[in-house]
């Protein structure tokens, strides 16, 4: 069973299974990191075009992160050699940037995590390349709706299971599959921490949400069945049935009367089309 630990913004924080409850001064650090993540995703919108390589997008993410005074948290993380993850079509998450060219009709998720002054701003969005089929656009729309319905449950006195239940209910109403192998996570000074935020759950289960909790909500929704498999590179997760997958991610905090989203788009580019 998870324990809760109140932490200050300057003490050494360990990944020890406790759920961190951050003091008010920590919120400002997360706001800056989250805003930078959102600004990077905003600036990527016009760059995602057919014919562009995912390596070029990764280069852009790295430069924007450095220009913002931060470092890409993924660069060197457990041997990962890139500044973001880019997951196309049936790739569920952790797609590795390469010389692969984006094609007309592709959908892709770009996941960025700038590390700014010791705080992690973790967020991802979907992008549409060229003329995207209606079924793919609908999957992207519903996945965004799932994220926001989950966030609506994020307030004191609720439980983590309430978030997952809201996501699951909406996705399954559209006969989509919810990925179980990956989940949201606590963050702050640490990239990944307790609690695990499951995206398919029973209401009223899991740890109670308390003010000061920082975590991500990042549902991965498949057009087909839920199961995924990991490729031989040790990172790339794909749908087993090769169906399309979509994901959105926000970093949030539980406040005294609700929640704060750290990674909202400054330009209002919350979901595609980004026009």
């Amino acid at each position: 069973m998870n324990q809760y630990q109140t932490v200050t913004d300057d003490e050494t924080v360990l990944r020890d299974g406790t759920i961190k409850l951050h003091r008010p001064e920590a919120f400002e650090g997360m706001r800056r990191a989250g805003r930078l993540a959102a600004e990077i995703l905003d600036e990527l919108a016009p760059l995602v075009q057919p014919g562009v390589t995912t390596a070029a997008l990764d280069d852009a993410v790295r430069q924007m992160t450095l220009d913002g005074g931060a470092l890409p948290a993924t660069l060197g993380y457990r041997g990962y050699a890139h500044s973001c993850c880019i997951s196309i079509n049936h790739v569920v998450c952790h797609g590795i940037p390469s010389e692969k060219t984006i094609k007309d009709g592709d959908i892709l998720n770009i996941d960025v995590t700038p590390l700014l002054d010791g705080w992690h701003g973790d967020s991802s969005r979907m992008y549409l390349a060229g003329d995207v089929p209606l079924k793919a656009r609908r999957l992207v729309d519903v996945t965004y709706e799932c994220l926001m319905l989950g966030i609506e449950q994020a307030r004191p006195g609720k439980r983590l299971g309430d978030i997952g239940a809201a996501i699951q209910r909406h996705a399954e109403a559209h006969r989509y599959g919810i990925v179980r192998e990956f989940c949201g996570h606590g963050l702050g000074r640490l990239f990944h921490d307790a609690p695990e935020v499951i995206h398919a759950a029973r209401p009223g289960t899991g740890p109670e949400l308390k003010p000061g909790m920082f975590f991500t909500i990042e549902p991965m929704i498949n057009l087909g069945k839920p199961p995924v498999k990991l490729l031989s590179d040790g990172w790339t997760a794909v749908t087993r049935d090769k169906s399309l997958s979509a994901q959105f991610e926000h970093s949030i905090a539980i406040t005294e009367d609700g929640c704060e989203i750290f990674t909202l788009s400054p330009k209002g580019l919350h979901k595609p089309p980004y026009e």
Side-chain angles (χ1 to χ4, degrees):
M1 184 174 181
N2 288 108
Q3 300 288 320
Y4 297 87
Q5 175 191 8
T6 300
V7 295
T8 62
D9 67 340
D10 57 354
E11 69 180 280
T12 300
V13 179
L14 302 176
R15 183 174 182 178
D16 55 7
T18 61
I19 297 175
K20 312 302 189 293
L21 302 179
H22 297 271
R23 296 180 184 276
E25 58 267 23
F27 279 66
E28 188 52 42
M30 287 297 288
R31 288 181 187 122
R32 292 194 301 270
R35 182 180 177 89
L36 178 57
E39 288 172 345
I40 292 168
L41 293 176
D42 281 355
E43 295 305 314
L44 287 173
L47 304 182
V48 178
Q49 300 288 342
V52 174
T53 67
T54 54
L57 295 176
D58 185 61
D59 288 342
V61 169
R62 181 168 57 257
Q63 192 59 54
M64 286 187 282
T65 304
L66 296 173
D67 289 346
L71 295 172
T74 58
L75 191 59
Y77 180 79
R78 297 182 178 177
Y80 192 77
H82 302 275
S83 299
C84 66
C85 296
I86 302 179
S87 304
I88 302 176
N89 294 334
H90 72 292
V91 178
V92 174
C93 61
H94 304 157
I96 300 174
S98 68
E99 293 305 316
K100 180 181 177 63
T101 299
I102 297 168
K103 295 180 174 58
D104 185 65
D106 281 348
I107 63 171
L108 56 152
N109 176 273
I110 304 180
D111 190 342
V112 304
T113 309
L115 174 58
L116 180 63
D117 298 329
W119 298 99
H120 292 82
D122 194 1
S123 186
S124 79
R125 280 184 223 160
M126 294 299 296
Y127 297 83
L128 309 179
D131 186 14
V132 173
L134 178 60
K135 68 177 183 179
R137 285 187 275 122
R138 184 58 183 148
L139 173 66
V140 170
D141 286 343
V142 171
T143 302
Y144 178 77
E145 292 164 4
C146 284
L147 170 65
M148 299 313 293
L149 287 168
I151 289 174
E152 284 181 7
Q153 297 297 312
R155 57 183 184 270
K158 287 284 191 174
R159 294 189 175 272
L160 277 173
D162 296 318
I163 294 172
I167 291 168
Q168 182 177 4
R169 185 164 50 247
H170 191 63
E172 292 183 346
H174 290 84
R175 300 189 177 182
Y176 295 151
I178 306 102
V179 171
R180 268 76 166 180
E181 288 89 340
F182 299 95
C183 60
H185 53 89
L187 83 168
R189 292 289 192 186
L190 298 177
F191 191 172
H192 296 96
D193 200 6
E196 292 187 344
V197 182
I198 308 300
H199 302 118
R202 289 185 294 113
T205 62
E208 182 181 348
L209 303 182
K210 297 186 177 184
M213 291 174 65
F214 296 167
F215 56 86
T216 70
I217 304 175
E218 46 184 300
M220 287 149 268
I221 308 298
N222 298 344
L223 189 62
K225 296 180 180 179
V228 308
K229 66 178 180 180
L230 192 65
L231 298 187
S232 60
D233 60 31
W235 287 102
T236 309
V238 301
T239 55
R240 283 193 174 273
D241 60 7
K242 298 184 179 179
S243 63
L244 295 174
S245 188
Q247 179 190 20
F248 285 88
E249 174 184 15
H250 273 315
S251 295
I252 72 166
I254 303 299
T255 63
E256 293 293 336
D257 57 359
C259 78
E260 177 177 346
I261 303 174
F262 292 128
T263 48
L264 282 176
S265 165
K267 293 185 176 180
L269 305 180
H270 305 301
K271 69 180 186 69
Y274 301 122
E275 298 173 348

